[in-house]
Amino acid sequence: MLVKTFGSAVYGIEAITISIEVNVTLGTNTFMVGLPDNAVRESMLRVESAIKSNGYFMPRTKVIISLAPADIRKSGSAFDLPIAIGILAATDQLVNIASLNHYVLMGELGLTGSIQPIRGALPIALTTLRESFRGLVLPETNANEAAVVNGLDVFGVNHLNEVVRLLEKPSESTPIHLSTLDVFLNAQQENVPDFQDVKGQEHIKRALEIAAAGGHNAILIGPPGSGKTMLAKRLPSILPPLSLEEALETTRVHSVAGKLPDHSSLVSKRPFRNPHHTISHMAMAGGGSMPQPGEISLAHNGVLFLDELPEFNRTVLEVMRQPMEERRLTISRARMSLEFPASFMLIASMNPCPCGYFNHPLKSCCCPPGAVLKYLNKISGPLMDRIDLHVEVTPVAFGDLQTAKQQESSGTVRQRVIAARQLQAKRFSSFNGIYCNAQMTNQLLKEVCELDNLSLQLVKKAMETLSLSARAYERILKVSRTIADLEGKEKIYPEHLAEAIQYRSLDRETWGR
């Protein structure tokens, strides 16, 4: 007897519906075709144990299992459930075969028939709805994540017997329905460190406010103990909240990577990724035989913080260059090319030299001649060019540490950042995919960053004096546009440009001489 069930395979952050055809006929042995990987092939052992453990029988005749489309490689253990249901239906142990046409089934089976969590529930649910299936059956752990897709019946199950009962009598099962908007609005925001706890360092706070307002990349450079990491970890507290569209897109990436907490529905706050400097280039960019998102994509719509930047392997840093410009990452394999979103803010920190005390107001640098430039040369010029704000961090004075003066809270700064982002959203409303100044194209720069003669002369002198590149010139214009937005000004004035230019003071040609 031949029956068909439906599953889904995740490629990148998209899902493709897979047809699982099971044919039980005369003969011996079990055959699985359709480019299954080892995890899919091993499913037969799990399926047989689950079927027998629950009082069903496993056929001893010839069983052919076909996964279509046959030219796409299938990976993972989530096909256990549709294969098991297909075998039960093909051997007349499931009576209501017609119901199989209306549901997508996904789940890994335990040896006793328990159903284990899967990855990629959200993109699977979106594809299930788009292809007009009635419902999606998947592990209960993943049900809330899939249920944020409105208009789709989602059934969370814990055991093979529950799936059999659901398919035999669909009307007696109650689907999980959630309001995407309600889930988003009621999402609990985690407490994050506040700028109010930081004494002094007003110029660093100002730089991070500009970075947050325009979505700019920034690097903090200063001696050990000056507060670089502490300040960077407080950046999320002043970023604008995620929009619903951003939350859904971010959740898709984390769902595919298996990074969502159990029973969670949406990523409710901007990601803050802080990988260790021993990370490999594949873990940073993503990859594998079946490519998975890396740290770059996991930081999508959030912050990627690289502490002690020169300690990272150079190849790891270089893989970020293309995503930082294009805000997406393409991973190519012989049979496929997958694209992952990668719109993130890069915040980096580093010491100014190997000993850490170059330019320190009190301690002397003990590095030999040329060591400072050699240390900085660990970071390529093209990568440094892509960082908008170069900020020198100095140690906090003892008087600032002991001051009783109330520091400005993150909430106050965040309101200014949100106001600036609203101006940018209005400005770029007719340009799809552009939401902040850091994302402006060259054509947009000409339209929204017009300079008067005095401003042009100022920029010209800065480029000649600091030996800045054309990309650095674009970065100066974008940062000055953000500074003007923070002040609510329609035009860019020389004082905005002057502040933006001083954030290029750490360029290779001027630092370490």
Side-chain angles (χ1 to χ4, degrees):
M1 183 176 179
L2 175 64
V3 298
K4 180 188 289 188
T5 60
F6 295 94
S8 191
V10 177
Y11 297 93
I13 60 169
E14 303 293 337
I16 300 175
T17 298
I18 303 297
S19 300
I20 297 99
E21 294 179 313
V22 179
N23 189 16
V24 177
T25 185
L26 295 177
T28 58
N29 295 331
T30 298
F31 300 91
M32 186 179 293
V33 297
L35 289 181
D37 71 353
N38 288 336
V40 180
R41 291 184 182 279
E42 290 173 355
S43 68
M44 290 310 303
L45 297 175
R46 296 188 295 271
V47 167
E48 181 175 0
S49 177
I51 286 176
K52 289 181 176 180
S53 295
N54 290 281
Y56 305 106
F57 68 86
M58 187 71 182
R60 291 304 172 194
T61 54
K62 185 177 182 180
V63 179
I64 302 174
I65 301 169
S66 175
L67 310 175
D71 60 341
I72 297 177
R73 179 164 291 280
K74 322 303 184 302
S75 65
S77 56
F79 294 104
D80 290 5
L81 183 58
I83 290 173
I85 293 298
I87 291 174
L88 293 179
T91 53
D92 294 325
Q93 297 178 83
L94 181 67
V95 178
N96 188 11
I97 297 178
S99 64
L100 298 178
N101 296 322
H102 304 306
Y103 297 94
V104 170
L105 312 172
M106 293 298 288
E108 175 188 337
L109 286 176
L111 299 184
T112 61
S114 61
I115 299 180
Q116 310 301 320
I118 63 171
R119 293 184 178 187
L122 181 56
I124 289 172
L126 291 168
T127 299
T128 301
L129 177 65
R130 185 169 60 248
E131 298 191 2
S132 301
F133 284 93
R134 185 181 300 170
L136 171 64
V137 181
L138 77 174
E140 187 177 40
T141 304
N142 304 109
N144 285 343
E145 176 190 341
V148 299
V149 179
N150 297 149
L152 178 69
D153 288 345
V154 175
F155 298 89
V157 292
N158 289 310
H159 199 275
L160 177 62
N161 288 332
E162 293 181 43
V163 183
V164 173
R165 288 195 297 270
L166 187 154
L167 294 173
E168 290 284 14
K169 299 178 180 180
S171 60
E172 296 182 4
S173 298
T174 304
I176 300 172
H177 287 142
L178 298 176
S179 169
T180 307
L181 184 59
D182 288 344
V183 171
F184 176 68
L185 294 177
N186 295 328
Q188 295 294 319
Q189 296 291 335
E190 295 182 16
N191 292 327
V192 293
D194 197 292
F195 271 170
Q196 195 170 25
D197 304 327
V198 181
K199 302 291 187 180
Q201 302 290 32
E202 299 303 328
H203 66 297
I204 315 301
K205 296 177 186 177
R206 168 67 174 175
L208 291 178
E209 179 181 343
I210 294 170
H216 301 291
N217 303 318
I219 183 169
L220 308 179
I221 180 167
S226 56
K228 303 184 298 294
T229 302
M230 177 185 67
L231 286 159
K233 288 184 176 180
R234 281 163 169 75
L235 179 63
S237 66
I238 64 172
L239 289 173
L242 284 170
S243 66
L244 178 57
E245 181 182 356
E246 288 175 326
L248 287 169
E249 193 173 36
T250 305
T251 302
R252 289 172 71 182
V253 177
H254 286 246
S255 172
V256 169
K259 300 294 185 181
L260 280 181
D262 289 349
H263 302 285
S264 63
S265 302
L266 282 175
V267 174
S268 59
K269 66 184 185 71
R270 293 191 180 274
F272 184 86
R273 306 295 300 182
N274 183 13
H276 192 260
H277 64 259
T278 56
I279 189 173
S280 69
H281 70 278
M282 186 173 291
M284 179 67 81
S289 57
M290 290 298 295
Q292 294 289 307
E295 291 292 334
I296 288 175
S297 295
L298 291 171
H300 180 60
N301 290 324
V303 177
L304 178 64
F305 176 49
L306 303 184
D307 202 4
E308 301 300 337
L309 188 66
E311 302 304 323
F312 284 80
N313 189 295
R314 192 178 181 106
T315 58
V316 173
L317 299 180
E318 293 306 298
V319 300
M320 297 193 301
R321 284 166 53 177
Q322 178 255 350
M324 287 172 68
E325 284 292 307
E326 300 184 7
R327 301 191 177 272
R328 65 179 183 274
L329 179 68
T330 302
I331 299 176
S332 298
R333 295 290 181 266
R335 290 180 173 269
M336 68 182 73
S337 181
L338 300 179
E339 188 173 282
F340 293 101
S343 180
F344 62 91
M345 286 176 60
L346 173 65
I347 304 297
S349 71
M350 63 178 288
N351 293 329
C353 66
C355 79
Y357 295 106
F358 180 77
N359 269 358
H360 194 283
L362 300 176
K363 298 183 180 181
S364 299
C365 175
C366 60
C367 298
V372 178
L373 283 177
K374 183 179 179 181
Y375 186 71
L376 191 62
N377 276 336
K378 292 183 177 182
I379 308 169
S380 69
L383 179 62
M384 188 67 81
D385 261 354
R386 287 169 167 82
I387 299 178
D388 306 344
L389 303 170
H390 303 172
V391 188
E392 188 174 2
V393 183
T394 55
V396 183
F398 180 77
D400 289 336
L401 289 174
Q402 295 299 312
T403 183
K405 179 183 176 183
Q406 185 75 17
Q407 303 295 308
E408 192 173 38
S409 70
S410 291
T412 303
V413 179
R414 193 185 202 194
Q415 292 306 311
R416 294 198 295 267
V417 169
I418 291 173
R421 286 286 186 109
Q422 288 173 343
L423 287 176
Q424 294 164 46
K426 183 178 180 181
R427 179 184 301 134
F428 305 130
S429 59
S430 59
F431 297 92
N432 187 35
I434 297 179
Y435 307 103
C436 60
N437 289 331
Q439 299 172 345
M440 280 193 289
T441 61
N442 290 338
Q443 183 61 38
L444 273 176
L445 274 175
K446 297 177 182 178
E447 296 179 16
V448 304
C449 296
E450 293 184 8
L451 304 179
D452 57 27
N453 289 333
L454 183 60
S455 297
L456 284 172
Q457 291 299 318
L458 178 62
V459 175
K460 179 182 178 182
K461 184 175 181 180
M463 291 195 66
E464 293 173 349
T465 304
L466 302 177
S467 302
L468 299 177
S469 66
R471 184 180 285 114
Y473 168 67
E474 294 175 2
R475 294 298 195 266
I476 289 173
L477 291 183
K478 291 178 181 179
V479 172
S480 60
R481 179 66 266 173
T482 299
I483 295 171
D485 288 341
L486 282 168
E487 295 183 4
K489 301 293 179 60
E490 293 185 6
K491 294 183 178 181
I492 297 175
Y493 292 97
E495 57 266 29
H496 303 144
L497 280 165
E499 184 175 1
I501 290 169
Q502 61 102 9
Y503 290 124
R504 303 300 305 185
S505 62
L506 301 182
D507 275 323
R508 180 184 313 281
E509 292 81 0
T510 61
W511 179 256
R513 286 184 175 176

